[in-house]
Amino acid sequence: DGGITQSPKYLFRKEGQNVTLSCEQNLNHDAMYWYRQDPGQGLRLIYYSQIVNDFQKGDIAEGYSVSREKKESFPLTVTSAQKNPTAFYLCASTSDRGVTEAFFGQGTRLTVV
Amino acid sequence: AQKVTQAQTEISVVEKEDVTLDCVYETRDTTYYLFWYKQPPSGELVFLIRRNSFDEQNEISGRYSWNFQKSTSSFNFTITASQVVDSAVYFCALNELTGGGNKLTFGTGTQLKVEL
């Protein structure tokens, strides 16, 4: 079945550590996105990539980094510079054919301990 | 800047009641797209509908219907005869075409609780 797989589902991070969230898609989509969801704030765009080896900052990119070495993969690293990383992170993808709906993964819940 | 407002934070209804979720948007673009997504407790967002700014026809899909009114910048979602399985968070979103990509601006969501 085609879709987006995020792992892990739950992640715990100690203060000062970097952690990487995985996002893989087998939909052959060109564009991929990372959103952050906080209670009462909806989803906010962190980074997006429209093509391999290229990505752009979204609205809240500070403290995060990404890479896009393969079409299928768009990992997100939450660095120690991110002051409030506890949140629910959602990865999404869209095809490149005009304006289409985004397909979402099941998310990763990151907690700082 | 684009903005989507979902003023209803939480709505509780009894099964079989009709319920309308409100969505008001702001954009300077003349061409734009609006979306509704459902987020069940499992977490992933499920696409429900896409509507472009040139198509103001209302749409019905089973128990779901959408009312797009450009004059009031609203794109409201109605569930008829609600069921417990409709319990979820519902998001309205606006597509930002400038700059490329399918970037979405989301509202803050409406938590719908349908009780027996």
Side-chain angles (χ1 to χ4, degrees):
Chain A
D1 287 334
I4 297 182
T5 302
Q6 289 187 242
S7 62
K9 191 168 183 178
Y10 299 97
L11 186 57
F12 297 89
R13 188 194 97 170
K14 292 183 180 179
E15 296 272 359
Q17 278 185 339
N18 293 352
V19 290
T20 297
L21 284 58
S22 170
C23 178
E24 303 277 334
Q25 55 102 354
N26 61 2
L27 299 166
N28 199 33
H29 284 173
D30 291 299
M32 297 185 74
Y33 311 78
W34 275 105
Y35 290 91
R36 170 178 170 144
Q37 184 177 10
D38 294 283
Q41 292 196 46
L43 279 73
R44 292 180 290 167
L45 183 64
I46 305 172
Y47 267 99
Y48 66 103
S49 167
Q50 294 176 262
I51 197 169
V52 173
N53 292 323
D54 187 45
F55 47 82
Q56 287 79 39
K57 293 181 179 180
D59 300 319
I60 55 165
E62 185 175 350
Y64 300 97
S65 66
V66 293
S67 63
R68 187 87 187 276
E69 297 176 1
K70 298 186 301 181
K71 187 175 183 178
E72 303 78 21
S73 178
F74 191 40
L76 173 74
T77 296
V78 184
T79 75
S80 56
Q82 170 50 237
K83 298 305 178 188
N84 186 21
T86 294
F88 189 56
Y89 292 87
L90 284 157
C91 179
S93 70
T94 58
S95 71
D96 197 30
R97 297 186 216 100
V99 178
T100 64
E101 67 270 24
F103 289 78
F104 285 82
Q106 291 204 323
T108 293
R109 189 166 298 281
L110 173 63
T111 304
V112 173
V113 296
Chain B
Q2 301 196 134
K3 186 178 178 182
V4 176
T5 301
Q6 295 180 257
Q8 304 151 308
T9 304
E10 185 172 320
I11 300 175
S12 290
V13 299
V14 176
E15 204 175 36
K16 297 184 184 176
E17 284 186 14
D18 299 346
V19 58
T20 295
L21 309 181
D22 297 333
C23 173
V24 175
Y25 62 92
E26 297 175 29
T27 180
R28 292 183 180 177
D29 291 350
T30 54
T31 303
Y32 52 89
Y33 288 77
L34 295 160
F35 296 78
W36 275 95
Y37 285 87
K38 174 182 180 179
Q39 185 179 40
S42 55
E44 83 280 14
L45 270 70
V46 177
F47 166 76
L48 295 177
I49 190 171
R50 177 190 66 197
R51 171 68 73 225
N52 74 55
S53 53
F54 298 107
D55 182 2
E56 290 193 68
Q57 277 194 325
N58 292 331
E59 181 154 341
I60 298 174
S61 175
R63 296 185 296 108
Y64 295 170
S65 62
W66 289 270
N67 183 344
F68 177 32
Q69 293 204 342
K70 218 168 169 179
S71 59
T72 56
S73 297
S74 66
F75 187 42
N76 297 336
F77 172 31
T78 297
I79 301 175
T80 303
S82 59
Q83 299 176 2
V84 172
V85 293
D86 295 327
S87 296
V89 180
Y90 290 86
F91 289 97
C92 181
L94 176 65
N95 180 284
E96 181 180 353
L97 294 174
T98 53
N102 280 299
K103 296 178 292 179
L104 294 169
T105 298
F106 284 86
T108 51
T110 297
Q111 170 86 58
L112 173 65
K113 294 183 178 179
V114 182
E115 299 165 335
L116 292 171

